[in-house]
Amino acid sequence: MSRTSKLVSLDQAVADIADGASVGLGGWIFNSQPMALVRALIRQGARNLDLVPSPGSIAPDLLIGAGRARSTVCVFISFEHHGLAPQFRRAAESGTLKVYEMDGPGIAGGLRASICDLPFMPIPDLATDLPRVNPQHYRPLPTQPGERRLLAVPPIRPDICFIHAQQADEYGNVQFLGGPFFDVMLAQASRRVIVSVDRIVSPDIIRRANHLTKLPAPMVDAVVEAPFGAHPSSSASLYRADDVHLREYVKASAKTDAYRAYLERYVEKPIDSAAYLNEIGAARLAALAVSETNLT
Amino acid sequence: MIATDAQVLPPSTGEFLAVVLARDLGDGEKAIIGTNSDIQLAACNLAQRLHAPNLWWVSGPGGMVNPRREMLLSTADFENIESAEAWLDLPNMVDFIDWQIHFFDFAILSAIQIDRFGNINTVAIGDHAKPKLRGPGVVGIAALTGLSKRFYVVLTRHDRSAFVPKVDFISGPGYLDGGNSREERGLPPGGPKLIVTPLGVFDFVPGSRAMRIKSLHPGVSLEQVRDSTGFDLVVDGTPPVTPVPAAAELEILRARVDSKGALRKKFP
């Protein structure tokens, strides 16, 4: 009997994600945003999603801009040197998006509570306004006199999470060639884990550098091969973030028509990974795979 | 540009702020900086090159310890990994970032609003449910302001929309309502030490914990700072002029820390 392959297509990976699902998004700002999966989910059409992004950028922003999210956790959603996250900002400022404000201890505590099957995780009470605006995730925790003041964070357990990493075998042993950020915690805390990788490699390659395997097979439900699947964010050691494309995205966000055209050109029309990469162009992609030490 | 020694190209605002911060960072201290932190990163690496070879700093998200390139890259950039002396997994790091008290001697942060007691806001201006301006969020700021021994805030703009009487959202506690309110609220000893802006350097009066002018940068008048600040700053006599970056400091900054001139481009 042979071992079961978890390799599926982008469309298969997102096929049964239902309206109203909570969706965890891995990566960190402009690193490893699971963009190929996000674009596939937008094409699939699921609505009223509750997003649980790690500190992120265009992955939550695109889902919000495409009208797919009814709420998002916000630990940090930023376009860094490109400014504030344009669609997140617009939706939050118009009051149409419910924002569950959280911080580092809150998300780490909530994920740990989920991983450990605890009713809550204690975190330090740091005298912020978080409990005021998000009483659902920050509850008072009675303590004894003289003890540190604490808050209780209930479990954060996304129905599904999207993670992008650099390589995996078809059985779901996932390797990170850079920082895994919150990805491992997010995967452990989620009910279902879908990982896109830039390349599928053989089990021999995985064993040869087994210290890079941060998500072993049992923690992963499906693997998708999506070359440049984090584009326009970076994928560690393989390619850098595409600042030209990010500028184009921010510019398109300024006008409804332009943003609609962006969605059509980069999300709706390219029905698979190859079509998307053709739309970006070979020369651009090749340039992103250059080390910064060679850039002027 | 801020005028300084004639021999070298005068420092840009970003370079000036990095040098001013670097001077306050001590040898042997443990520090943390966030993402999008060019000035903060430059200050740490410049301090290491100048007077603090045992300064130890970590980039929270990327897990890189003491990345030491001669050019500025985002702290989460994977190309920093090869220049770091350690590379930690975030789930291990969150124990000492988000829970442990006083692991870090200091953090260097930024904000969209700051108030007279050094509380900082990175979340929203106006009502949180329908804000006038939606900021990026809290991320590690609550833990770093709440649990480090001290913190710094670097702001690249100084105006009344940034310097407000009371922040609309406390992302990171400063001295809360002033006096002993921070301690009474149960936070460990700590709080903001210096606020560094394009106009000057600011500290906090012992006792009241109200923000005070520590020094003004060359060419900046008291009136200009008052006009740009939405609350009354404490002034003790005539504030001194911030010592300008020395030629040697700028040379090391430009040759060994920011060799591609990112600070000059981003913060002219």
Side-chain angles (χ1 to χ4, degrees):
Chain A
M1 218 177 135
S2 61
R3 202 171 175 182
T4 307
S5 172
K6 292 175 180 170
L7 191 58
V8 297
S9 72
L10 270 177
D11 288 345
Q12 287 168 335
V14 301
D16 58 354
I17 298 174
D19 286 359
S22 56
V23 181
L25 300 167
W28 194 281
I29 322 284
F30 287 133
N31 302 282
S32 287
Q33 294 283 278
M35 295 309 299
L37 288 166
V38 161
R39 287 185 289 261
L41 180 57
I42 293 172
R43 286 193 297 275
Q44 188 260 40
R47 292 183 173 272
N48 292 318
L49 302 172
D50 297 313
L51 308 183
V52 187
S54 294
S57 58
I58 191 168
D61 203 72
L62 190 66
L63 282 162
I64 293 164
R68 298 298 197 256
R70 69 180 162 196
S71 79
T72 189
V73 162
C74 177
V75 179
F76 201 68
I77 303 178
S78 168
F79 270 48
E80 302 260 293
H81 52 292
H82 294 290
L84 298 167
Q87 297 297 327
F88 166 60
R89 181 183 175 187
R90 181 194 52 74
E93 289 173 4
S94 69
T96 55
L97 178 75
K98 169 76 182 164
V99 179
Y100 293 102
E101 207 69 47
M102 297 199 77
D103 66 341
I107 188 85
L111 293 173
R112 277 189 175 159
S114 171
I115 294 165
C116 303
D117 281 325
L118 293 170
F120 64 85
M121 188 75 188
I123 66 165
D125 178 351
L126 298 164
T128 69
D129 280 321
L130 289 163
R132 175 172 66 80
V133 300
N134 188 2
Q136 185 173 330
H137 286 95
Y138 294 86
R139 303 195 303 228
L141 184 60
T143 47
Q144 301 294 316
E147 281 181 351
R148 200 174 170 187
R149 291 176 72 151
L150 299 170
L151 295 166
V153 181
I156 297 172
R157 184 170 290 131
D159 294 325
I160 195 151
C161 82
F162 290 169
I163 282 164
H164 183 81
Q166 287 69 51
Q167 58 189 28
D169 63 18
E170 62 177 309
Y171 309 120
N173 290 299
V174 179
Q175 296 196 325
F176 291 77
L177 306 184
F181 308 115
F182 269 131
D183 290 0
V184 178
M185 286 175 86
L186 190 62
Q188 286 181 275
S190 298
R191 292 192 171 88
R192 214 170 120 214
V193 178
I194 300 176
V195 181
S196 63
V197 291
D198 293 297
R199 60 195 180 205
I200 293 291
V201 296
S202 73
D204 284 347
I205 298 284
I206 296 292
R207 287 174 194 273
R208 215 173 287 162
N210 51 23
H211 64 288
L212 298 174
T213 308
K214 304 280 183 182
L215 281 178
M219 293 186 187
V220 174
D221 296 285
V223 183
V224 176
E225 188 173 45
F228 286 91
H231 183 274
S233 72
S234 76
S235 186
S237 89
L238 300 182
Y239 48 93
R240 303 187 60 75
D242 185 346
D243 280 320
V244 174
H245 187 91
L246 289 167
R247 272 196 292 275
E248 184 183 341
Y249 178 88
V250 170
K251 197 171 166 218
S253 287
K255 286 185 182 154
T256 312
D257 290 357
Y259 194 70
R260 185 91 278 294
Y262 177 93
L263 289 174
E264 194 180 314
R265 179 173 175 193
Y266 293 112
V267 181
E268 292 156 11
K269 273 194 173 167
I271 53 158
D272 57 21
S273 183
Y276 176 79
L277 297 181
N278 282 337
E279 194 58 40
I280 299 300
R284 169 82 62 73
L285 293 170
L288 297 175
V290 170
S291 161
E292 56 81 20
T293 50
N294 295 323
L295 297 175
T296 51
Chain B
M1 295 280 184
I2 296 165
T4 181
D5 305 19
Q7 310 92 302
V8 290
L9 181 69
S12 76
T13 301
E15 290 178 321
F16 193 98
L17 301 186
V19 171
V20 168
L21 271 171
R23 289 170 176 166
D24 211 67
L25 312 181
D27 194 23
E29 294 198 295
K30 296 199 294 291
I32 181 162
I33 62 176
T35 52
N36 203 21
S37 297
D38 293 312
I39 295 170
Q40 293 89 324
L41 193 164
C44 287
N45 279 3
L46 181 62
Q48 282 182 342
R49 301 274 187 193
L50 289 172
H51 60 268
N54 303 294
L55 174 67
W56 185 95
W57 71 269
V58 60
S59 133
M64 277 86 77
V65 175
N66 283 341
R68 202 172 194 193
R69 285 183 165 272
E70 297 196 339
M71 58 183 281
L72 294 178
L73 281 180
S74 161
T75 50
D77 193 307
F78 65 85
E79 299 225 24
N80 278 320
I81 289 170
E82 65 194 52
S83 76
E85 65 188 31
W87 181 27
L88 308 174
D89 280 347
L90 194 54
N92 303 120
M93 295 172 73
V94 295
D95 294 338
F96 60 77
I97 294 175
D98 290 335
W99 274 270
Q100 193 176 341
I101 295 169
H102 287 176
F103 178 85
F104 291 109
D105 292 288
F106 66 88
I108 314 177
L109 306 163
S110 193
I112 56 174
Q113 278 184 334
I114 185 164
D115 66 25
R116 63 191 295 247
F117 297 118
N119 304 300
I120 59 178
N121 174 12
T122 55
V123 167
I125 293 179
D127 175 17
H128 181 265
K130 201 176 172 185
K132 281 195 265 247
L133 178 92
R134 174 64 230 197
V138 179
V139 68
I141 285 172
L144 300 182
T145 53
L147 303 175
S148 298
K149 289 182 192 165
R150 68 180 191 274
F151 68 88
Y152 300 90
V153 182
V154 54
L155 294 163
T156 52
R157 71 194 173 101
H158 188 139
D159 56 34
R160 281 176 179 251
S161 66
F163 281 73
V164 295
K166 197 163 174 45
V167 291
D168 293 339
F169 189 101
I170 297 182
S171 304
Y175 293 114
L176 295 178
D177 299 316
N180 292 326
S181 57
R182 183 182 162 101
E183 292 78 7
E184 283 162 6
R185 184 61 178 73
L187 290 171
K193 184 181 179 196
L194 298 178
I195 313 302
V196 180
T197 82
L199 299 185
V201 180
F202 305 85
D203 63 2
F204 296 85
V205 181
S208 74
R209 262 82 180 263
M211 197 187 292
R212 168 173 72 181
I213 301 176
K214 184 166 188 286
S215 67
L216 295 176
H217 300 336
V220 176
S221 70
L222 201 51
E223 195 181 21
Q224 189 184 349
V225 176
R226 282 178 170 151
D227 285 349
S228 308
T229 305
F231 52 87
D232 286 341
L233 287 159
V234 178
V235 188
D236 287 344
T238 306
V241 176
T242 312
V244 297
E249 289 172 316
L250 284 177
E251 278 164 19
I252 291 173
L253 177 67
R254 289 165 181 173
R256 310 295 302 279
V257 176
D258 180 22
S259 62
K260 304 237 171 185
L263 293 177
R264 288 199 298 282
K265 274 180 227 142
K266 287 189 186 174
F267 311 105

